[in-house]
């Protein structure tokens, strides 16, 4: 039988519980509202302060059009960056070189990258033994978007940071601003820079990125030796938003940035980005009008703040311990060494165990009761995840059009978030109804035991996440002590742990729903419920929690239904699509291709009523998933050429050097060679062994921006012919192809780069040399 919670005489426990739950909800809402960038500063602030308004001209120049590596617009943007950096007072040089990216099991990428290096000399460069502070952003964009956010926001912020730095008289350390090329193709410019300079001459590397068009700038990655950098970041801006959990999550995602190259080379540094507004990412909507200027302000404030802090420190003597860190409502960054986190975790868990033991000895709680509550709480976590994944699967069956969106992320995500959050609340209320039979001490102990076990697990596996469980556990111990000592619960004390959990977990859960997407919302909701088990002592005191669970279930069902009804496409929320025209000059066949899950009004006009679904991954590794194919009219598009430049045989090995040209000046040229036909190839001075590059059965090279053609030298057996499969890809559909399909109708938009094949005309030719 549950003892009455300790509350003031004459006040009903259920009324207190309702008030406390409302306070917790309000606290969570405030935590999310605080997770915003600072307001953009006007142009008339002093030149020693960052102003988002002052970067407007730079931003409009850079984001006129897409400017991927190897294009005339890429040259235009680079020239503007050079001129603007020089006008701001920096010493500027341009570095270029051919880069070969040969990751095992993937196509070999080859391109010439152009980096802009702008240096503001320090007033006392000997402070750090000549080591400079390096800031990095990339000046290229994807082919499908103007790149206002990715990475124009960082580029213009760095240009403004140069102006601020020179206006303020500089700092003691040299500060180098690196604008890389080819980040979107595998951080090619960063690889070139590290190859040319290494990382030893830089005391810290600060990289700036974007995966959206708005939201606060979050520091989501650091090097292992990060305590000194985290300390500097804590005071760099009015919104020092970061947590050490983010890095643990990022490590487990298939993502990379330029910082990855520097980190892998041994550099110390950090990586920051804004991530809200996924549908603008890599899309035609990544333009000047969409980019949030408050976000640009946060970018710039953080940059200039870090330059001011690190520019005056000996970069050789930064605290190289690993830190646990987290922000409180986006205003204060708490940080301490990992060893402190591990000691705190050990002390907290020992204190929890001692309180449980004392409670058992005093008869205040029974082990079976605490274990039952902990088991029910764990069941709530697992059950919520299963329910959310199941509901999402149901939604995708009802609304298959969601598969056309990047990461299947719905436009009206607010309805989906509300639905899944209500599901989580319903599960917690149901569990509260089930555990009401146990004493307050047992309910408290069960929830805290699950949190304690979680703390131990993350302390061993991912110490950066310990803060999420550490502080709620400490906040929950007074309530357990009271229940063990008095034999009854104290609702105000019981609210401490969930209050701390709300402040810490609310922004994390919100960020997880953005970073992982709605299709993985079950992960985020499971994390939310793991914190939510701490609210069970309050939920058990609510009037009729079982009825409340039923009501929440009905509300969740309504929200899920509403989510399905509002998830269509229109002019405001267009359906992404892409169309390829493929002419095979060897077979004489021409076809239409699309990577879209189903044809829409535009692609359906050219694909017809019954396109076939085929896999072309062997011929075109870029087409990773099956595509839809239908016959297309023949067009006289110029085909790529293959010219033998040298052919020699020695010691039983035939060595043939050949050149591939694209008369159409295709942006991408693909050269595919059967692994059994060649032993190895040399490109740009780098040898690539055939056996190590199966994609899936061919040795594949991708040349980008190769206006002057591409050369390869390959080795084969003496007397053997070498089959060469060549294809060139245009950026967008050329006029003669556009004439066949007509303009893309309203309600559709070019699919963002990186998710499915985008508009292109491809001409393929197979020869034997």
């Amino acid at each position: 039988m549950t003892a009455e919670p300790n509350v003031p005489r004459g006040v009903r426990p259920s009324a207190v519980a309702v008030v406390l739950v409302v306070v917790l909800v309000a606290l969570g809402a405030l935590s999310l509202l605080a997770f915003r960038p600072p307001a953009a500063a006007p142009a008339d602030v002093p030149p020693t302060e960052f102003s988002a308004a002052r970067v407007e001209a730079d931003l409009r120049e850079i984001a006129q059009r897409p400017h991927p590596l190897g294009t005339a617009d890429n040259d235009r943007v680079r020239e503007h960056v050079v001129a603007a950096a020089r006008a701001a007072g920096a010493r500027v040089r341009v570095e270029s070189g051919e880069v070969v990216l040969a990751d095992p099991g993937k196509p070999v990428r080859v391109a010439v990258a152009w980096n802009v290096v702008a240096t503001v000399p320090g007033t006392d460069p000997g402070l750090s033994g000549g080591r400079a502070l390096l800031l990095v952003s990339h000046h290229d964009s994807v082919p499908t978007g103007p790149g206002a956010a990715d990475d124009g926001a960082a580029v213009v912020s760095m240009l403004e940071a140069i102006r601020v730095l020179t206006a303020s008289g500089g700092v003691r350390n040299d500060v180098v601003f690196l604008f890389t090329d080819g980040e979107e193709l595998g951080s090619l410019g960063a690889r070139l820079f590290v190859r040319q300079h290494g990382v030893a001459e830089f005391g810290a590397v600060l990289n700036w990125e974007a995966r959206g068009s708005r939201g606060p700038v979050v520091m989501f990655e650091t090097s292992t030796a990060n305590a000194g950098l985290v300390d500097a970041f804590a005071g760099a801006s009015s919104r020092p938003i970061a947590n050490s959990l983010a890095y643990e999550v990022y490590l487990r995602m298939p993502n990379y940035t330029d910082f990855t190259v520097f980190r892998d080379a041994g550099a110390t540094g950090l990586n920051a980005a804004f991530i809200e507004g996924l549908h603008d990412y890599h899309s035609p909507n990544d333009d000047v009008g969409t980019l949030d200027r408050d976000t640009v302000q946060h970018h710039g404030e953080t940059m200039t703040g870090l330059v001011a802090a690190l520019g005056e420190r000996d970069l050789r003597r930064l605290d190289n311990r690993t830190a646990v860190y987290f922000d409180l409502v986006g205003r204060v960054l708490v940080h301490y060494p990992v060893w402190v986190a591990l000691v705190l975790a050990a002390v907290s868990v020992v204190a929890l165990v001692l309180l449980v033991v004392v409670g058992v000895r005093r008869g205040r709680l029974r082990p079976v009761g605490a274990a039952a509550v902990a088991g029910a709480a764990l069941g709530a976590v697992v059950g919520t995840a299963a329910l959310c994944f199941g509901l999402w699967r149901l939604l995708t069956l009802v609304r298959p059009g969601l598969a056309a969106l990047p990461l299947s992320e719905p436009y009206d995500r607010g309805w989906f978030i509300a639905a899944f959050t209500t599901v989580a609340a319903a599960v917690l209320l149901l569990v509260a109804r089930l555990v009401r039979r146990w004493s307050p001490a047992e309910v408290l102990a069960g929830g805290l035991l699950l949190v304690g076990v979680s703390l131990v697990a993350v302390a061993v596996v991912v110490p950066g996440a310990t803060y999420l469980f550490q502080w709620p556990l400490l906040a929950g111990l007074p309530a357990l002590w009271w229940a063990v000592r008095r034999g009854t619960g104290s609702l105000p004390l019981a609210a401490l742990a969930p209050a701390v959990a709300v402040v810490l977990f609310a922004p994390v859960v919100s960020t997880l729903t953005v970073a992982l997407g709605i299709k993985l919302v079950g992960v985020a909701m499971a994390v939310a419920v793991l914190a939510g088990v701490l609210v069970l002592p309050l939920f058990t005191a609510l009037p009729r929690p079982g009825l409340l669970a039923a009501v929440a279930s009905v509300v969740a069902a309504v929200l899920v239904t509403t989510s399905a009804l509002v998830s269509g496409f229109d002019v405001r929320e267009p359906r992404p699509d892409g169309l390829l025209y493929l002419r095979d000059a060897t077979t004489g066949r021409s076809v239409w291709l699309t990577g879209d899950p189903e044809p829409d009004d535009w692609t359906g006009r050219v694909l017809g009523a019954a396109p076939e679904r085929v896999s072309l991954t062997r011929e075109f590794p870029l087409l990773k998933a099956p595509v839809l194919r239908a016959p297309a009219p023949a067009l006289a598009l110029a085909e790529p050429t293959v010219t033998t430049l040298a052919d020699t045989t020695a010691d039983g090995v035939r060595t043939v050097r050949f050149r591939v040209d694209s008369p159409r000046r295709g942006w991408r040229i693909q050269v595919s060679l059967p692994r059994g036909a060649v032993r190895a190839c040399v490109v740009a001075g780098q040898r690539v062994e055939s056996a190590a590059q199966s994609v899936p059965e061919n040795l594949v090279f991708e040349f980008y921006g190769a206006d002057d053609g591409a050369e390869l030298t390959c080795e084969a057996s003496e007397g053997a012919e070498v089959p060469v499969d060549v294809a060139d890809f245009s950026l967008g559909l050329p006029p003669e192809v556009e004439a066949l399909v007509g303009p893309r109708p309203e309600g559709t938009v070019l699919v963002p780069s990186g998710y499915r094949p985008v508009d292109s005309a491809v001409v393929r030719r197979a020869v034997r040399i």
Side-chain angles (χ1 to χ4, degrees):
M1 191 77 173
T2 301
E4 282 293 316
N6 187 273
V7 296
R9 183 173 298 176
V11 178
R12 298 186 61 179
S14 59
V16 175
V18 169
V19 170
L20 290 174
V21 169
V22 170
V23 170
L24 290 177
V25 172
L27 191 59
L30 289 174
S31 298
L32 294 177
L33 290 173
F35 198 68
R36 292 291 181 268
D44 59 357
V45 298
T48 55
E49 298 178 17
F50 186 93
S51 165
R54 283 200 295 255
V55 307
E56 197 70 21
D58 290 324
L59 187 62
R60 292 188 180 279
E61 176 63 30
I62 287 170
Q64 291 181 39
R65 293 176 295 277
H67 43 278
L69 174 148
T71 63
D73 273 301
N74 184 272
D75 296 339
R76 173 185 58 80
V77 169
R78 182 177 66 252
E79 290 167 0
H80 177 79
V81 170
V82 169
R86 281 182 178 150
R91 298 175 182 174
V92 183
R93 67 181 186 273
V94 177
E95 299 176 345
S96 65
E98 203 161 15
V99 187
V100 179
L101 175 56
D103 288 338
K106 296 181 180 180
V108 179
R109 291 184 172 180
V110 186
V112 175
W114 298 77
N115 294 329
V116 178
V117 186
T119 303
V120 177
T123 59
D124 180 19
L127 172 67
S128 300
R131 293 189 178 187
L133 177 64
L134 179 66
L135 280 72
V136 185
S137 64
H138 64 90
H139 66 74
D140 66 309
S141 76
V142 292
T144 54
D150 184 21
D151 201 18
V155 170
V156 300
S157 294
M158 279 175 46
L159 290 173
E160 174 72 356
I162 295 174
R163 301 182 190 111
V164 170
L165 182 58
T166 55
S168 61
V171 290
R172 296 176 70 184
N173 288 316
D174 289 344
V175 183
V176 178
F177 297 82
L178 172 62
F179 304 86
T180 64
D181 195 6
E183 190 274 345
E184 301 292 1
L185 297 175
S187 296
L188 302 185
R191 295 174 192 276
L192 173 66
F193 186 84
V194 169
R195 188 181 78 197
Q196 292 176 332
H197 299 274
V199 298
E201 60 187 274
F202 303 106
V205 179
L206 314 177
N207 189 66
W208 308 92
E209 264 291 355
R211 199 214 69 169
S213 59
R214 61 183 183 273
V217 174
V218 180
M219 194 267 283
F220 64 93
E221 181 183 15
T222 68
S223 52
T224 302
N226 62 15
L229 289 169
V230 170
D231 180 64
F233 184 85
S237 77
S238 60
R239 306 284 197 280
I241 297 176
N243 64 73
S244 45
L245 170 65
Y247 178 48
E248 304 287 1
V249 174
Y250 183 77
L251 280 179
R252 289 153 180 81
M253 296 178 69
N255 298 41
Y256 69 88
T257 67
D258 281 344
F259 183 72
T260 308
V261 177
F262 288 96
R263 183 200 65 198
D264 291 348
T268 297
L270 57 82
N271 205 358
F274 51 93
I275 64 172
E276 294 181 16
L278 174 66
H279 290 106
D280 301 323
Y281 176 61
H282 281 188
S283 85
N285 294 325
D286 184 10
D287 57 21
V288 173
T290 304
L291 177 62
D292 187 347
R293 299 307 189 271
D294 292 350
T295 295
V296 177
Q297 183 69 30
H298 198 194
H299 240 1
E301 277 190 15
T302 309
M303 283 182 192
T304 54
L306 281 169
V307 169
L310 295 173
E312 299 294 336
R313 299 186 188 183
D314 185 346
L315 298 177
R316 298 169 300 177
R317 291 181 170 80
L318 291 176
D319 188 343
N320 61 4
R321 294 175 296 179
T322 302
V324 173
Y325 53 95
F326 58 93
D327 65 271
L328 290 175
V329 294
R331 300 302 190 276
V332 177
L333 191 71
V334 179
H335 54 100
Y336 44 85
V338 163
W339 72 264
V340 172
L342 297 179
V343 170
L344 279 172
V347 170
S348 303
V349 171
V350 169
L352 171 63
V353 172
L354 288 176
L355 280 174
V356 171
V357 170
V358 171
V360 171
R361 287 183 174 180
R362 289 189 175 186
R364 303 300 194 190
L365 63 85
R366 294 161 293 173
V368 65
V373 173
L378 179 60
V381 175
V382 176
T384 299
L387 276 172
C388 290
F389 281 119
L391 283 172
W392 174 251
R393 176 60 179 163
L394 176 62
L395 283 166
T396 58
L397 293 175
V398 174
R399 284 295 193 190
L402 288 170
L405 293 163
L407 302 180
S408 298
E409 183 75 0
Y411 283 111
D412 298 294
R413 68 189 314 273
W415 288 103
F416 292 83
I417 294 295
F420 291 119
T421 302
T422 307
V423 168
V427 171
L428 283 171
L429 285 166
L430 177 60
V431 170
R433 173 64 183 85
L434 296 176
V435 302
R436 290 186 87 183
R437 58 180 296 194
W438 306 109
S439 72
E442 289 162 350
V443 174
L444 281 164
L448 291 175
L449 283 171
L450 180 59
V451 172
V453 170
S454 301
L455 175 58
V456 172
V458 297
V460 173
V461 181
V462 284
T466 51
Y467 78 93
L468 279 173
F469 305 99
Q470 173 65 68
W471 302 108
L473 176 57
L474 276 178
L477 294 179
L480 182 58
W481 170 82
W482 182 279
V484 167
R485 182 170 176 266
R486 297 290 187 89
T488 184
S490 169
L491 288 179
L493 284 178
L496 291 177
V500 173
V502 162
V503 171
L504 296 181
F505 274 83
V508 168
V509 171
S510 176
T511 300
L512 282 175
T513 65
V514 175
L516 302 179
I518 298 297
K519 70 176 181 179
L520 295 178
V521 72
V523 175
M525 291 300 108
V527 172
V529 171
L530 187 54
V533 300
L534 294 172
V535 85
L536 287 177
L538 301 182
F539 275 11
T540 56
L542 291 174
R544 305 186 67 181
L547 177 61
L548 292 176
V551 171
S553 299
V554 172
V555 172
V558 172
L559 289 171
V560 168
T561 303
T562 303
S563 301
L565 293 175
V566 302
S567 62
F569 300 106
D570 54 31
V571 174
R572 186 178 62 88
E573 298 174 344
R575 179 189 179 110
D577 61 18
L579 188 64
L580 288 84
Y581 176 88
L582 170 61
R583 178 194 171 216
D584 193 326
T586 302
T587 64
R589 184 185 183 192
S590 297
V591 296
W592 297 110
L593 301 172
T594 182
D596 301 341
E598 298 295 339
D600 60 15
D601 292 342
W602 185 58
T603 57
R605 290 206 304 261
V606 297
L607 290 168
E612 59 177 336
R613 191 174 297 276
V614 297
S615 176
L616 300 178
T617 303
R618 179 174 180 178
E619 296 87 350
F620 302 102
L622 286 168
L623 307 181
K624 297 180 178 66
V627 295
L628 297 176
R629 180 173 67 183
L635 293 174
L637 300 180
E639 60 194 64
T641 62
V642 180
T643 305
T644 302
L645 302 177
D647 192 343
T648 60
T649 300
D651 299 325
V653 177
R654 180 191 177 204
T655 303
V656 57
R657 182 165 63 92
F658 61 95
R659 178 184 187 83
V660 179
D661 288 283
S662 172
R664 300 190 304 129
R665 300 175 68 84
W667 178 64
R668 178 193 294 119
I669 299 175
Q670 174 188 293
V671 179
S672 184
L673 307 149
R675 279 200 304 153
V678 295
R679 301 177 180 181
C681 291
V682 177
V683 58
Q686 182 169 329
R687 183 180 178 86
V688 180
E689 299 291 340
S690 175
Q693 298 296 139
S694 172
V695 192
E697 299 176 3
N698 300 326
L699 178 58
V700 179
F701 295 85
E702 294 172 356
F703 297 87
Y704 290 86
D707 289 344
D708 297 327
E711 284 193 13
L712 277 167
T713 300
C714 296
E715 299 172 0
S717 300
E718 181 177 358
E721 286 188 314
V722 178
V724 180
D725 192 320
V726 184
D728 59 0
F729 295 68
S730 66
L731 280 177
L733 298 175
E736 54 266 57
V737 177
E738 283 188 332
L740 293 176
V741 301
R744 181 177 270 103
E746 290 188 343
T748 64
V749 67
L750 177 62
V751 66
S753 178
Y755 297 102
R756 298 196 301 275
V758 301
D759 292 2
S760 182
V762 186
V763 181
R764 179 189 181 199
R765 181 189 180 198
V767 300
R768 304 181 76 86
I769 58 175

